[in-house]
Amino acid sequence: MLAMNYRGPYRVRASQKPEPKIEHPEDVVVRVTRACICGSDLHIYHGLVPDTRVGTTFGHEFIGEVVEVGSDVKTMKIGDQILVPFNISCGRCAFCKQELFSNCHESNPEATAAGGIFGYSHTCGGFDGGQAEYVRVPYADVGPMVIPSDIHPDDAVLLTDVFPTGYQAAEMGGIKPGDTVVVFGAGPVGLMAARSAWFFGAGRVIIIDRIEYRLEFAKTFAHCEAYNFESIGDPVLFLKKQTGYFGADVCIDAVGCEAAGSALQTITGKKLMLQAGSATALHWAINSVKKGGIVSIVGVYGPTDNLIPIGNVVNKGLTIRADQCSVKRLLPKLISHIREGYIQPRDIITHHIPLEEVSDAYHIFSAKLDNCIKTVLIPPSARN
Ligand SMILES: NC(=O)c1ccc[n+]([C@@H]2O[C@H](COP(=O)([O-])OP(=O)(O)OC[C@H]3O[C@@H](n4cnc5c(N)ncnc54)[C@H](O)[C@@H]3O)[C@@H](O)[C@H]2O)c1
Ligand SMILES: [Zn+2]
Ligand SMILES: [Zn+2]
């Protein structure tokens, strides 16, 4: 089959590899019809995630058709069109039982911090991902669901990660009616977080980035104020001024470990790798939220340490909430939001690109070319 193939930092290509097979009675094999590229994929594409092995296939946001079913699978049959949350969850461990599906204790038994994730290095379990014609999906009765017939496939594929992740970012912010919410990052996740903040009753939503076309898009898609951090001076001071020197009620970090904006963070976090990526957006979030406020982190950081202003967290009495999204928990609510017309997630998709051109697709998304916000890869077998 054709699959995305990681060759080393900044080098991916589409090439042939063996089709996956059922390895466990609870598996299904899926013929992929759509697979997105995520901001999280950029961290592995840039070589920042430990134990990303040459030859692996990325892709944790995908939908497709069930083509093989393990003998213990009860809820899926051949021909079903399914969406597959990016987390791999056993459904039985203490964490899955609390609906902490991203924190499953069984799907990545080599690690205590991270659960299994499709196509996200051996640090996250070594599972091949869905940027391919076929993919093996473990625990098929737990995470995946059959796509309701009234849900557009481009909306369905965004339900595997970015819409739920943005929504959970807003949810973890504990937003109260009238709150001022600042979202750092106007990528797909930040856009969804800003849009979702209104669902919780925010009174004012501000998004911060440095990419003008994304800021412009945010104004219409998320109905928020949008500022370029390269033209507002010190972003923390700017936000304090915007909030009567009080600080925002809630700050959301939707940037993660590759943040720009601080030479010190960039050199220590990205060039010298003395910390697990640059934590600039998280700094700004901690320093621009009000005393007693909440910082919600969905931007991804590595498993080792980062330089963050913990003293300010203590002295301001902040609450920090963070996680990988538990996609499965949110699906019923978010599907009903789509049905009721509150949101059409696919509005953020700017590119549909054949899987054969995966190398160009990564370059365009990574370098933020061609006004790219969200890219969907279409495998050849899904185009016939
Ligand atoms: N927790 C989860 O479950 C989860 C799920 C999906 C993605 N993520 C993470 O969310 C983050 C965003 O994902 P994405 O797909 O939107 O990525 P993206 O790369 O498309 O967007 C990130 C945006 O942040 C902007 N940015 C850089 N430095 C900034 C700064 N200092 N302040 C404000 N903005 C800044 C960039 O210009 C870019 O537009 C990534 O770290 C990704 O790994 C987490
Ligand atoms: Zn993702
Ligand atoms: Zn589990």
Side-chain angles (χ1 to χ4, degrees), residues 120-139:
Y120 213 72
S121 82
H122 279 66
T123 302
C124 294
F127 298 91
D128 259 346
Q131 291 168 5
E133 289 188 283
Y134 295 91
V135 60
R136 179 177 79 92
V137 174
Y139 305 114

Side-chain angles (χ1 to χ4, degrees), residues 22 24-30 66 68-70 72-77 82-85 88-90 92 118 136-146 328:
I22 301 281
H24 184 278
E26 292 171 72
D27 293 349
V28 294
V29 174
V30 169
V66 176
E68 257 186 276
V69 181
D72 284 358
V73 174
K74 297 181 184 61
T75 59
M76 307 270 142
K77 58 181 190 320
I82 64 170
L83 71 86
V84 182
I88 301 175
S89 327
C90 76
R92 308 185 262 264
F118 288 99
R136 179 177 79 92
V137 174
Y139 305 114
D141 284 328
V142 180
M145 73 176 284
V146 175
K328 165 90 175 166

Side-chain angles (χ1 to χ4, degrees), residues 10 13 19 35 52 69 101 106 129 170 173 184 218 222 250 301 337 339-340:
Y10 291 88
R13 65 162 99 109
E19 282 178 24
T52 303
V69 181
F101 293 108
E106 297 297 327
F184 293 92
V250 176
Y301 291 89
H337 278 14
R339 283 198 174 121
E340 282 161 34

Side-chain angles (χ1 to χ4, degrees), residues 125-261:
F127 298 91
D128 259 346
Q131 291 168 5
E133 289 188 283
Y134 295 91
V135 60
R136 179 177 79 92
V137 174
Y139 305 114
D141 284 328
V142 180
M145 73 176 284
V146 175
I147 301 170
S149 57
D150 59 336
I151 297 296
H152 190 287
D154 279 345
D155 286 331
V157 76
L158 297 181
L159 281 165
T160 64
D161 183 346
V162 288
F163 179 27
T165 298
Y167 184 91
Q168 183 169 316
E171 183 189 57
M172 291 192 301
I175 298 167
K176 291 192 269 314
D179 273 358
T180 295
V181 179
V182 176
V183 179
F184 293 92
V189 172
L191 290 166
M192 291 297 179
R195 178 75 179 255
S196 298
W198 300 110
F199 296 148
F200 295 89
R204 186 178 180 192
V205 181
I206 297 171
I207 205 162
I208 305 283
D209 202 299
R210 65 168 175 175
I211 299 177
E212 278 301 328
Y213 73 81
R214 290 187 167 195
L215 291 167
E216 280 309 309
F217 182 80
K219 286 181 198 165
T220 48
F221 178 76
H223 318 293
C224 61
E225 296 164 55
Y227 299 104
N228 188 326
F229 67 77
E230 289 182 334
S231 53
I232 55 174
D234 174 1
V236 174
L237 187 58
F238 174 83
L239 289 166
K240 282 195 179 151
K241 283 185 185 160
Q242 286 288 320
T243 53
Y245 290 94
F246 218 65
D249 299 294
V250 176
C251 281
I252 294 172
D253 173 355
V255 180
C257 61
E258 294 193 65

Side-chain angles (χ1 to χ4, degrees), residues 140-381:
D141 284 328
V142 180
M145 73 176 284
V146 175
I147 301 170
S149 57
D150 59 336
I151 297 296
H152 190 287
D154 279 345
D155 286 331
V157 76
L158 297 181
L159 281 165
T160 64
D161 183 346
V162 288
F163 179 27
T165 298
Y167 184 91
Q168 183 169 316
E171 183 189 57
M172 291 192 301
I175 298 167
K176 291 192 269 314
D179 273 358
T180 295
V181 179
V182 176
V183 179
F184 293 92
V189 172
L191 290 166
M192 291 297 179
R195 178 75 179 255
S196 298
W198 300 110
F199 296 148
F200 295 89
R204 186 178 180 192
V205 181
I206 297 171
I207 205 162
I208 305 283
D209 202 299
R210 65 168 175 175
I211 299 177
E212 278 301 328
Y213 73 81
R214 290 187 167 195
L215 291 167
E216 280 309 309
F217 182 80
K219 286 181 198 165
T220 48
F221 178 76
H223 318 293
C224 61
E225 296 164 55
Y227 299 104
N228 188 326
F229 67 77
E230 289 182 334
S231 53
I232 55 174
D234 174 1
V236 174
L237 187 58
F238 174 83
L239 289 166
K240 282 195 179 151
K241 283 185 185 160
Q242 286 288 320
T243 53
Y245 290 94
F246 218 65
D249 299 294
V250 176
C251 281
I252 294 172
D253 173 355
V255 180
C257 61
E258 294 193 65
S262 156
L264 174 74
Q265 288 280 344
T266 302
I267 291 166
T268 56
K270 287 168 72 178
K271 302 248 183 313
L272 302 177
M273 299 225 185
L274 296 174
Q275 54 166 335
S278 63
T280 308
L282 183 52
H283 261 256
W284 292 348
I286 288 169
N287 289 340
S288 45
V289 78
K290 71 178 182 187
K291 288 183 262 191
I294 299 181
V295 174
S296 164
I297 311 170
V298 284
V300 158
Y301 291 89
T304 51
D305 309 309
N306 275 95
L307 293 168
I308 59 160
I310 195 68
N312 290 355
V313 174
V314 176
N315 292 320
K316 290 170 73 173
L318 304 186
T319 299
I320 307 258
R321 297 198 62 196
D323 206 352
Q324 299 278 350
C325 180
S326 278
V327 172
K328 165 90 175 166
R329 175 179 66 83
L330 293 168
L331 287 175
K333 170 162 275 169
L334 300 190
I335 286 172
S336 91
H337 278 14
I338 293 172
R339 283 198 174 121
E340 282 161 34
Y342 294 146
I343 184 168
Q344 185 167 281
R346 65 179 188 269
D347 289 346
I348 70 166
I349 295 174
T350 48
H351 291 70
H352 288 89
I353 298 183
L355 179 63
E356 297 90 314
E357 294 166 29
V358 68
S359 172
D360 290 341
Y362 267 80
H363 177 59
I364 290 167
F365 181 57
S366 170
K368 317 293 190 235
L369 304 177
D370 198 25
N371 289 352
C372 183
I373 295 177
K374 190 72 179 171
T375 296
V376 182
L377 298 167
I378 314 278
S381 48

Side-chain angles (χ1 to χ4, degrees), residues 86-121:
F86 76 86
N87 337 96
I88 301 175
S89 327
C90 76
R92 308 185 262 264
C93 72
F95 302 100
C96 285
K97 280 187 184 150
Q98 297 172 65
E99 297 194 310
L100 292 167
F101 293 108
S102 63
N103 309 110
C104 177
H105 208 53
E106 297 297 327
S107 59
N108 185 16
E110 301 296 326
T112 50
I117 298 178
F118 288 99
Y120 213 72
S121 82

